[in-house]
Amino acid sequence: MVVIGHRGASAYAPEHTFAAWDLALELGADYLEQDLQMTKDGVLVVLHDDSLDRTTGGAFRGRVIDSHLAEIRDCDIGSWFNDARPARADPRFAYQRIATLDEVFARYAGRACFYVETKNPEEAPGMEEALLSLLDTHGLRAPAALEWRVLIQSFSESSLRKIHTMDPSLPLIRLLDGRFAARRSIERDLATIAEYAVGIGPSHLDVNGRLVEAAARHCLSVHPYTVNDPAVMRRMIDAGVDGMFTDAPDLLLALRPPEEPRGRSATAAAAQRYRDCRG
């Protein structure tokens, strides 16, 4: 079961900052997550929202896609966390800045695995090409294909199919909208998803043992989002999921048996299970 640091260790540090990714890695997360946005000048930056309104506390207004990197480069995206969670506040968070994906890969490529999401790809033509180019720049394309050291996820089927056409060897995860009654709908879509993806990312609200078993019949891994309650984590483990997203990696790691593989060993094992399943 792989442990995915959702936007880093975002329960304890401002999301999508080096502080959050450093901490997630220190805690032992197998994957560090990055949500991608593209600037007006075509640079991939790591942010969840399409604007900076929330994570700058309103100091910046407007969409990332309408801004050049130089215009948003020095935005403070950490101070809001100190205001929102005073018990976790740290003066160093006030100095956190927007990271480009290039910088993230450069900092962690030798010691971490990545879980990258194409956000709003229809509004950012060329996002997929830019992502694959950065994989090549940092020598990550082959490790992604062979050992799943990079997983690429999206709610956009068209974005994933585009990447699959560009390189069928890359492991892709189809994100699924959370709906309480969505399980049967998801099950009906599994065969189609398996044409281009190696796994699904449903809301934990939609996950039970039946869904996991149905996905396994199509050789699809199941990585639900976003699980921060240990009781729900246990329920997901009992259902047989292959991993999960969490803001608090330490809570999930405490439930993982010590004999299970971790880090690159865990991701390589998952990749091998997929190849064995597909024959």
Side-chain angles (χ1 to χ4, degrees):
M1 181 189 67
V2 293
V3 176
I4 306 151
H6 181 241
R7 309 180 199 177
S10 56
Y12 312 125
E15 64 185 64
H16 286 326
T17 63
F18 288 122
W21 293 313
D22 284 349
L23 182 55
L25 200 57
E26 180 183 330
L27 292 173
D30 299 309
Y31 282 103
L32 307 179
E33 187 203 20
Q34 297 83 38
D35 294 316
L36 299 185
Q37 303 288 342
M38 180 176 273
T39 64
K40 189 174 183 178
D41 45 343
V43 179
L44 293 180
V45 295
V46 185
L47 294 162
H48 176 269
D49 301 357
D50 62 1
S51 81
L52 287 173
D53 295 30
R54 176 175 62 88
T55 52
T56 64
F60 179 92
R61 299 287 181 181
R63 300 192 310 160
V64 176
I65 193 67
D66 296 327
S67 306
H68 289 85
L69 178 63
E71 297 176 289
I72 63 174
R73 184 62 155 161
D74 294 327
C75 289
D76 175 356
I77 60 169
S79 291
W80 73 271
F81 184 90
N82 290 342
D83 296 335
R85 301 183 184 179
R88 298 280 184 186
D90 186 322
R92 292 173 295 180
F93 294 164
Y95 297 96
Q96 297 297 307
R97 298 294 185 258
I98 296 168
T100 66
L101 185 63
D102 185 34
E103 291 168 338
V104 174
F105 283 167
R107 185 181 181 107
Y108 299 111
R111 55 197 177 100
C113 299
F114 306 96
Y115 213 121
V116 182
E117 179 178 349
T118 59
K119 283 277 187 186
N120 312 311
E122 290 78 13
E123 298 182 17
M127 176 177 281
E128 295 85 3
E129 288 87 349
L131 171 56
L132 269 59
S133 176
L134 285 174
L135 292 181
D136 290 335
T137 296
H138 294 276
L140 288 168
R141 192 187 291 230
L146 296 174
E147 301 178 350
W148 287 14
R149 281 171 53 188
V150 182
L151 292 176
I152 302 172
Q153 63 176 344
S154 187
F155 284 103
S156 170
E157 178 180 348
S158 61
S159 181
L160 293 178
R161 285 190 179 275
K162 179 179 181 180
I163 294 171
H164 185 68
T165 299
M166 294 165 64
D167 187 343
S169 73
L170 290 175
L172 311 178
I173 305 290
R174 175 65 190 277
L175 284 166
L176 302 166
D177 291 329
R179 300 182 298 275
F180 282 97
R183 294 186 190 114
R184 291 186 181 275
S185 174
I186 293 171
E187 290 176 25
R188 288 194 297 269
D189 291 340
L190 292 175
T192 299
I193 292 170
E195 294 172 0
Y196 59 88
V198 302
I200 58 173
S203 165
H204 68 83
L205 299 171
D206 291 327
V207 174
N208 61 8
R210 170 178 165 162
L211 176 62
V212 174
E213 290 174 3
R217 289 195 291 272
H218 294 277
C219 303
L220 293 169
S221 295
V222 180
H223 296 163
Y225 62 85
T226 300
V227 189
N228 296 321
D229 182 341
V232 180
M233 291 175 178
R234 292 188 187 95
R235 182 169 66 82
M236 294 294 99
I237 292 170
D238 291 342
V241 302
D242 302 283
M244 61 189 95
F245 288 82
T246 179
D247 299 333
D250 54 327
L251 298 184
L252 182 53
L253 285 160
L255 301 178
R256 182 162 69 175
E259 66 272 13
E260 285 193 6
R262 301 189 176 212
R264 293 182 186 175
S265 296
T267 68
Q272 188 59 52
R273 285 195 301 273
Y274 176 76
R275 286 192 288 269
D276 291 344
C277 181
R278 297 286 292 198

